Amino acid sequence: MREEILSADIDIGTSTTQLVFTRMFLENISPGAMIPKVEIVDRQVIYRSQIHFTPLLSPTMIDADKVRQLMEQEFINAGVNPADIDTGAVIITGETARKENARQVADALSLLAGDFVVATAGPDLESIISGKGAGAAKQSYDRNSIVANLDIGGGTTNIATYEVGEVIDTTCLDIDDRLIKFEKGGTEVTYISEKWQEMTRRMGIPVKVGDQLNRQQIDQIVDRMVEILQEVMGLKRPPMTWHF
């Protein structure tokens, strides 16, 4: 007998937050009198919210009230009543998972509807989720090969390597597009992560909040980020003088 359930899934990342409603179909696939084995046999995405910038109160604090308001409005936009939700998940990933009140935000959102799974995804879990979502696991299985997936987000790059569909390694690097922030339309640094503040110092171009960077300096930093990814993937030999 097939059962239909409605799921609400909220992804709160370093840069963006999004809500997806999915209709899932469950079915007992065990024959005859055998012990029931219920699996998801089909799924249909019925609504994807617009992608919102994750609201922050400070570099270390998520704006919990604003996140909840955004999600409540998306329920209205989708025409979905919270009482209709059977299950769901709130996943906090990337740099956002390190924020001081990440758990408070997850708990607040879990009260929207249903029995939510609330998870602050660490680097290993996030790497695996992104690799499976991108199809890297399936591709490695279909091709009987090793496939690596790089998920470049707003605060971290998560890497998962699959061999014939199975995860064989994961890692996470502090490389992404929001580790250094600039004033809107300008080149004045408004935020830089501690690790990249140290990294730029080692590069000989120490950067701090308030500095004005020129195009050459920005290119140097971006090039170093790319080089680190190449080194991790074995595409380039790391210089003996670099440590990261």
Side-chain angles (χ1 to χ4, degrees), residues 168-185:
I168 58 174
D169 202 5
T170 64
T171 192
C172 179
L173 305 175
D174 285 287
I175 293 177
D176 231 305
D177 66 341
R178 292 176 69 85
L179 296 177
I180 301 177
K181 300 178 185 178
F182 300 93
E183 64 173 327
K184 188 174 182 179

Side-chain angles (χ1 to χ4, degrees), residues 18-40:
Q18 187 174 30
L19 165 67
V20 175
F21 291 114
T22 306
R23 199 174 302 282
M24 297 188 291
F25 300 90
L26 309 179
E27 193 170 300
N28 177 17
I29 63 172
S30 295
M34 293 184 65
I35 296 174
K37 182 180 180 182
V38 178
E39 290 189 357
I40 298 173

Side-chain angles (χ1 to χ4, degrees), residues 118-199:
V118 180
T120 301
D124 289 337
L125 176 58
E126 186 177 358
S127 298
I128 294 169
I129 290 172
S130 61
K132 289 193 173 184
K138 185 177 187 303
Q139 187 177 63
S140 73
Y141 180 84
D142 292 343
R143 296 188 176 189
N144 192 29
S145 62
I146 296 176
V147 175
N149 182 77
L150 283 74
D151 175 24
I152 303 176
T156 56
T157 293
N158 295 87
I159 304 174
T161 306
Y162 297 86
E163 183 174 12
V164 196
E166 298 296 326
V167 179
I168 58 174
D169 202 5
T170 64
T171 192
C172 179
L173 305 175
D174 285 287
I175 293 177
D176 231 305
D177 66 341
R178 292 176 69 85
L179 296 177
I180 301 177
K181 300 178 185 178
F182 300 93
E183 64 173 327
K184 188 174 182 179
T187 60
E188 180 182 339
V189 177
T190 59
Y191 169 80
I192 179 169
S193 71
E194 289 184 11
K195 288 189 177 180
W196 274 93
Q197 195 165 15
E198 172 63 16
M199 190 62 171

Side-chain angles (χ1 to χ4, degrees), residues 34 48 60 70 83-85 95 107-108 110 124 176 209:
M34 293 184 65
R48 281 189 176 91
T60 61
L70 288 174
D84 296 332
I85 301 297
E95 281 287 294
D107 290 343
S110 71
D124 289 337
D176 231 305
V209 172

